[in-house]
Amino acid sequence: MTNLKRIYLLPEAEISDLYARPVFNQNEQQLYFELTQVELDTLGQFGTIKTKVHFILQLAYFKAKNQFFSFTFDDARADVDYVLARFFKKTDGVFQGNITRQRINQQKQIILKLFDYQTRSMEQIIQVEAHIGELLRYYPKVHDAFRQLLVYLDNQKIVIPTYRSLQDMFTQSFVNERDRLDQLILLMPLGQQEQLSELIDREDGITKLNIIRADQKNFTYTAISAEVEKALELEGLYKFAKGFLPTLLLSKNAIRYYADIAGQYAASRLRRLDKPQQWLHGLCFIYYRYQQIMDNLITSFMYHTRAITVDAKAYAKKAAGEYHSGLVVDLPKLAKFLKWFPSRKSGLDHDELNQAAYKILPEGQFPALAQFLQGSTFDTKASMREFYLKSSRSFALYLRPIYWLYPLYFTKKTTISWRSL
């Protein structure tokens, strides 16, 4: 650890809160100074009131925070008075001198045994360091990993190490995890390494990374085309990432963390990282960014599909209105025709009859009126199909590029779904 800068785990306020001796209120005193029969029996092995009070205090503090604390009787005056009054029927007590180090260590060992906690050993340190290494694969953010470690220590009944010890263990574990990832990243094919390096290389004042990071602003043809181009450019790296990232044994949370760094850091800052770290962050970023781009395109597909559907319904509604209004206008002609036909002039030949009839009711109105009288209604679906045929330009501009990039398939239930990413 002499050559490594200790990692920053917690702010000063949280460090103080974690390692500070408990300060009990009245209710907490009643809770933590309650002794079981086993604890009362253990108390009997100490001869003087001073050592007994110290044991009771240390025991209560351990119950509260699973740690041992160095303190004087003056430091814990309120708790001393409470213990004296409750267990020894004394209202005052001044103890001369301190408890010997040997006696303090003896009490600590007794408390550890009472609660089945592990004593500090090299085996325990190795165990904790190994677990920190595993945590960093799931929680690469220091604060998150540290919180998870506290849960682990509690479950494994291990006394929380000193802050300096934790710093040393985390610092070494971070170095080990980075070395592990670097070795695996260097196994990537040269082609993928070069593609990832190109993401942050400067090109005419702007990097590919900046282009890829730009979000789709709207559903215009230009915006969709740009998104399709990005998807096509990233597709190869994305497919590689799908197969390669699982070999790093990182959680989704960790992959997202590395991706967010690449998404937020300036390209110049990323270029200052070692090459394996550049490639790691870039590959994780591509993995998530490609999925975001595809989600944007699916949303665009749905937006324009709904827009065309809405327009088709409006077209059909207008056509239906024109159809029915035409029927209403021609009903009087039908009535006039029905009155004329029985009283028509006799002796008319076929052509004369047609000429007279069509003069009252035009020939083109007969089929529509016949359908109306038979109860036939306007064919809305046929009208919408007519509109779709007229909308081929919209399909070509907004839907076809997305469909080609990301085709649909039918499930067993004959419902349309998107191909799995």
Side-chain angles (χ1 to χ4, degrees):
M1 287 302 303
T2 55
N3 297 325
L4 297 176
K5 183 178 179 181
R6 286 189 174 89
I7 199 167
Y8 175 84
L9 292 177
L10 296 173
E12 290 297 329
E14 291 191 42
I15 296 173
S16 298
D17 181 65
L18 178 63
Y19 289 98
R21 179 179 58 82
V23 178
F24 297 143
N25 57 35
Q26 186 175 359
N27 291 332
E28 290 171 335
Q29 284 178 331
Q30 294 176 2
L31 173 64
Y32 289 110
F33 288 120
E34 181 70 32
L35 300 184
T36 66
Q37 186 59 51
V38 173
E39 292 165 352
L40 287 170
D41 293 342
T42 304
L43 185 64
Q45 66 183 282
F46 302 111
T48 66
I49 293 180
K50 182 169 69 173
T51 56
K52 290 181 179 181
V53 170
H54 187 275
F55 175 77
I56 294 173
L57 294 176
Q58 195 71 274
L59 180 65
Y61 298 153
F62 188 85
K63 290 179 182 179
K65 302 188 73 170
N66 296 330
Q67 297 179 63
F68 294 113
F69 302 91
S70 297
F71 58 90
T72 66
F73 291 116
D74 287 336
D75 294 334
R77 191 71 255 174
D79 292 335
V80 170
D81 292 342
Y82 179 86
V83 169
L84 286 173
R86 178 168 181 177
F87 294 98
F88 304 100
K89 309 305 179 184
K90 292 179 177 292
T91 56
D92 60 345
V94 178
F95 301 119
Q96 300 297 326
N98 296 318
I99 305 297
T100 64
R101 182 177 298 276
Q102 181 180 2
R103 181 65 74 182
I104 291 175
N105 291 333
Q106 178 193 15
Q107 290 184 350
K108 288 181 179 180
Q109 293 302 316
I110 291 173
I111 293 172
L112 288 172
K113 186 175 181 180
L114 283 173
F115 292 95
D116 196 25
Y117 263 69
Q118 301 179 39
T119 57
R120 185 175 179 83
S121 63
M122 182 56 65
E123 181 181 353
Q124 183 190 100
I125 294 174
I126 294 174
Q127 177 185 349
V128 173
E129 287 181 341
H131 188 69
I132 292 175
E134 294 178 4
L135 285 176
L136 294 179
R137 301 182 188 184
Y138 291 87
Y139 307 97
K141 294 180 69 173
V142 178
H143 195 272
D144 293 341
F146 183 79
R147 292 301 174 196
Q148 292 298 320
L149 179 64
L150 293 181
V151 175
Y152 171 79
L153 294 175
D154 183 57
N155 291 335
Q156 296 297 314
K157 294 190 173 183
I158 298 174
V159 177
I160 299 175
T162 64
Y163 182 70
R164 181 62 60 87
S165 296
L166 288 174
Q167 278 186 303
D168 290 345
M169 286 189 280
F170 265 94
T171 302
Q172 188 61 54
S173 295
F174 263 94
V175 171
N176 294 341
E177 176 63 6
R178 179 170 176 172
D179 290 344
R180 184 187 74 85
L181 289 174
D182 285 355
Q183 292 175 15
L184 293 172
I185 289 294
L186 288 171
L187 297 177
M188 282 197 307
L190 182 61
Q192 276 70 33
Q193 293 179 8
E194 292 176 348
Q195 289 182 61
L196 290 169
S197 293
E198 290 174 359
L199 286 177
I200 60 175
D201 289 341
R202 185 178 296 279
E203 181 178 333
D204 297 331
I206 190 170
T207 64
K208 288 185 178 180
L209 182 64
N210 290 334
I211 297 174
I212 296 169
R213 287 193 295 203
D215 288 325
Q216 180 179 331
K217 295 182 179 180
N218 50 48
F219 298 113
T220 62
Y221 170 75
T222 302
I224 293 175
S225 296
E227 209 74 354
V228 169
E229 289 179 7
K230 286 190 285 186
L232 291 172
E233 185 174 358
L234 299 181
E235 185 175 15
L237 271 177
Y238 171 74
K239 290 180 178 179
F240 172 77
K242 280 185 67 177
F244 183 77
L245 286 178
T247 66
L248 302 182
L249 303 179
L250 294 173
S251 68
K252 290 183 178 180
N253 177 66
I255 294 174
R256 186 56 182 265
Y257 169 77
Y258 293 121
D260 287 344
I261 290 178
Q264 297 170 9
Y265 282 12
S268 58
R269 187 173 179 182
L270 292 174
R271 284 195 291 269
R272 290 197 292 268
L273 299 175
D274 294 338
K275 282 294 183 180
Q277 289 296 304
Q278 292 181 23
W279 299 334
L280 171 64
H281 289 81
L283 195 62
C284 292
F285 174 75
I286 294 300
Y287 178 76
Y288 273 103
R289 186 58 183 152
Y290 181 84
Q291 295 182 39
Q292 291 173 340
I293 291 172
M294 297 309 298
D295 288 344
N296 292 340
L297 290 174
I298 292 172
T299 302
S300 299
F301 188 96
M302 295 170 62
Y303 173 85
H304 285 288
T305 300
R306 288 171 180 168
I308 292 173
T309 302
V310 169
D311 290 344
K313 290 180 179 179
Y315 176 87
K317 183 177 181 180
K318 181 180 179 182
E322 293 174 351
Y323 171 81
H324 290 110
S325 64
L327 291 179
V328 172
V329 170
D330 290 327
L331 283 177
K333 294 181 180 180
L334 175 62
K336 184 177 180 181
F337 173 82
L338 293 175
K339 290 179 180 179
W340 166 82
F341 189 79
S343 60
R344 68 189 181 280
K345 184 179 179 180
S346 61
L348 296 174
D349 61 23
H350 182 74
D351 291 336
E352 292 175 333
L353 179 63
N354 286 344
Q355 184 178 359
Y358 293 151
K359 185 176 181 179
I360 299 172
L361 185 64
E363 181 180 4
Q365 293 296 318
F366 275 83
L369 288 169
Q371 291 179 1
F372 176 77
L373 293 174
Q374 291 174 348
S376 300
T377 58
F378 178 77
D379 192 343
T380 301
K381 291 184 178 180
S383 181
M384 292 178 67
R385 284 195 295 271
E386 180 183 349
F387 176 82
Y388 292 145
L389 291 174
K390 294 179 180 180
S391 303
S392 58
R393 178 63 175 169
S394 295
F395 286 117
L397 287 176
Y398 301 110
L399 303 184
R400 186 187 299 163
I402 302 174
Y403 183 83
W404 281 349
L405 178 67
Y406 202 18
L408 305 172
Y409 71 94
F410 284 90
T411 65
K412 292 183 179 178
K413 295 182 179 180
T414 66
T415 56
I416 297 178
S417 304
W418 292 100
R419 181 183 63 188
S420 173
L421 286 173

